[in-house]
C-alpha cells in the first residue's frame, strides 16, 4: 500500500510539473504575442511620425519657395510701379507742354501733344489698373502661404503628439517584464 501511495504521489507530482510547464509555456507564448503587438504598434507610430515629418518638411520647403516667389513678385511690382510713376510725371510734363503750346498759339502742336498726352494717360491708367490687379493677386497668394504655414504648424503639433504616444508606448513596453 505504501508503494501504491508513492506511485500516486509520483503521478500527481508528474502531472503537476506538466501542468506547470504548460502554464509557463502558455504564459511565455502570450508574453511574446503581447510584445509583438506592442512592437508593431511602436513601428506604426514611428512610420506615421516619419510620414508627418516628411510632409512637414515638404510644406516648409513649399512655403519657403512661395515666400521667395512672393518677395520677387512684390519687388517686380515695385519696380513697375516706379516706372509708371516716372511715366506719369513725364505725362504731366507733356501736359504742361501742351498748355505752353496753347499759350503760344501753336494749335496743331497743342492738338498733337494733347492727343499724345491722352493716349499716354490712358495707357498709364491701364498699367495702373494692371498693377492693382497684380497687387491683389500677390496679397491673395500671401494669404494662401500663411494658411499653408498654419497647416504645417498643425502637422508639427501632430508629430509632437505622436512622439509622446510612441514614448508612452515604449515606456509601457519597457515596464512590462
Amino acid at each position: 500500500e505504501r508503494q501504491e501511495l508513492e506511485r500516486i504521489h509520483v503521478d500527481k507530482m508528474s502531472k503537476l510539473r506538466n501542468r506547470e510547464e504548460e502554464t509557463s509555456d502558455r504564459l511565455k507564448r502570450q508574453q511574446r504575442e503581447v510584445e509583438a503587438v506592442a512592437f508593431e504598434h511602436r513601428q506604426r507610430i514611428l512610420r506615421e511620425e516619419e510620414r508627418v515629418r516628411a510632409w512637414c518638411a515638404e510644406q516648409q520647403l513649399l512655403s519657403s519657395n512661395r515666400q521667395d516667389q512672393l518677395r520677387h513678385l512684390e519687388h517686380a511690382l515695385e519696380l513697375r510701379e516706379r516706372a509708371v510713376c516716372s511715366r506719369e510725371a513725364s505725362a504731366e510734363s507733356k501736359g504742361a507742354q501742351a498748355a505752353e503750346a496753347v499759350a503760344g498759339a501753336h494749335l496743331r502742336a497743342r492738338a498733337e501733344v494733347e492727343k499724345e498726352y491722352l493716349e499716354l494717360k490712358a495707357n498709364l491708367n491701364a498699367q495702373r489698373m494692371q498693377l492693382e490687379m497684380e497687387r491683389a493677386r500677390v496679397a491673395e497668394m500671401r494669404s494662401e502661404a500663411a494658411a499653408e504655414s498654419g497647416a504645417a504648424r498643425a502637422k508639427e503639433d501632430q508629430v509632437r503628439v505622436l512622439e509622446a504616444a510612441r514614448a508612452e508606448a515604449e515606456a509601457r513596453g519597457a515596464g512590462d517584464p
Side-chain angles (χ1 to χ4, degrees):
E1 190 173 303
R2 179 181 170 120
Q3 286 179 342
E4 182 64 23
L5 286 174
E6 281 182 23
R7 188 184 62 71
I8 291 172
H9 177 67
V10 167
D11 283 348
K12 285 184 181 180
M13 289 302 288
S14 176
K15 287 178 184 179
L16 182 61
R17 264 189 247 111
N18 286 340
R19 242 183 286 143
E20 285 178 353
E21 286 177 11
E22 287 172 4
T23 303
S24 175
D25 288 345
R26 187 172 56 248
L27 286 174
K28 287 177 184 176
R29 188 172 52 253
Q30 287 174 347
Q31 184 177 359
R32 283 192 303 271
E33 289 171 0
V34 167
E35 288 172 359
V37 167
F39 176 78
E40 181 56 35
H41 181 68
R42 286 191 302 272
Q43 292 302 310
R44 265 189 311 225
I45 290 173
L46 288 172
R47 285 191 300 270
E48 182 62 16
E49 284 177 359
E50 186 57 35
R51 187 187 70 73
V52 170
R53 274 194 201 101
W55 184 88
C56 287
E58 180 184 347
Q59 291 305 309
Q60 193 170 25
L61 180 62
L62 288 173
S63 178
S64 176
N65 289 342
R66 185 165 298 221
Q67 292 296 328
D68 290 344
Q69 181 184 21
L70 286 171
R71 279 191 290 277
H72 177 72
L73 284 172
E74 287 173 341
H75 180 70
L77 279 173
E78 189 176 311
L79 291 176
R80 287 176 61 195
E81 187 171 17
R82 286 182 194 161
V84 167
C85 287
S86 174
R87 283 187 236 135
E88 284 175 338
S90 175
E92 292 299 326
S93 173
K94 288 190 186 276
Q97 289 173 4
E100 288 176 20
V102 167
H106 298 109
L107 293 177
R108 189 175 13 196
R110 176 181 171 256
E112 288 178 14
V113 170
E114 279 184 350
K115 178 182 175 189
E116 184 179 324
Y117 172 73
L118 292 175
E119 288 174 356
L120 182 58
K121 234 4 190 179
N123 185 16
L124 290 171
N125 285 337
Q127 289 179 14
R128 172 71 61 192
M129 287 178 66
Q130 182 67 30
L131 279 173
E132 294 303 323
M133 287 174 24
E134 288 184 27
R135 186 173 301 283
R137 186 173 62 92
V138 167
E140 182 179 336
M141 290 171 72
R142 183 165 296 286
S143 294
E144 290 173 4
E148 288 174 5
S149 292
R153 283 192 295 278
K155 284 294 183 178
E156 288 171 356
D157 291 343
Q158 186 181 4
V159 167
R160 284 191 284 279
V161 168
L162 287 172
E163 286 173 343
R166 178 180 42 89
E168 182 180 326
E170 288 177 350
R172 274 188 278 152
D176 293 339

